[in-house]
Amino acid sequence: MRMRYRGIIRLVPVCAIWLALAVIALAIIETPAEPLAIAVSSIICLLVLLLAFRLSTEIFFKAIKLNKQRIEFTQSLTKPCSYSWSQLETVNFLNRWQAFELKFEDGRRVKVSLMMDNLKSFLQLLSEQLPRDKYIDAINQFAGSYGGKDD
């Protein structure tokens, strides 16, 4: 099973790149006269452009391949990594990122976003391949983030 960002999610980086280019074009067209204003607008343009390209590489190139033996993934432009399920140390749910974070024995981490496809199969593999104590807190946090909290 392979997990990737699909559909409309793939439009986000395209829009971000166009927004970054529009900000840069506006900065070029409306160049301020003061050096401080030029420096600030240049920094803002650079940050927007870097964020757009970082987001784009994450969405276009991130892929997670799961089977009953291994977890293989690529993040942005890095080389592929492969781990067995036994090397998975902890599973957490990061409400702020709306993603499961898998932490491996060597310290490497990978986020499995809720916006990726095959999420149901991912959760099923978690329950089949890991002891309950490694993933149950993450599942409870995931469920709690969608309401049902009693005050």
Side-chain angles (χ1 to χ4, degrees), residues 32-102:
E34 298 177 29
L36 179 63
I38 291 172
V40 169
S41 65
S42 298
I43 290 170
I44 290 172
C45 287
L46 181 64
L47 290 175
V48 169
L49 191 62
L50 289 174
L51 179 64
F53 280 106
R54 171 69 176 105
L55 176 65
S56 300
T57 58
E58 178 72 15
I59 289 177
F60 281 118
F61 297 109
K62 185 173 191 171
I64 302 171
K65 186 178 174 187
L66 304 165
N67 59 40
K68 292 187 180 204
Q69 292 79 31
R70 305 202 65 72
I71 304 167
E72 299 173 9
F73 59 90
T74 57
Q75 291 181 283
S76 296
L77 299 173
T78 62
K79 65 179 184 172
C81 297
S82 181
Y83 294 94
S84 68
W85 284 97
S86 63
Q87 292 175 293
L88 183 57
E89 192 174 278
T90 59
V91 179
N92 296 309
F93 181 73
L94 306 174
N95 194 26
R96 175 181 58 193
W97 293 102
Q98 291 295 291
F100 288 94
E101 181 184 57
L102 308 179

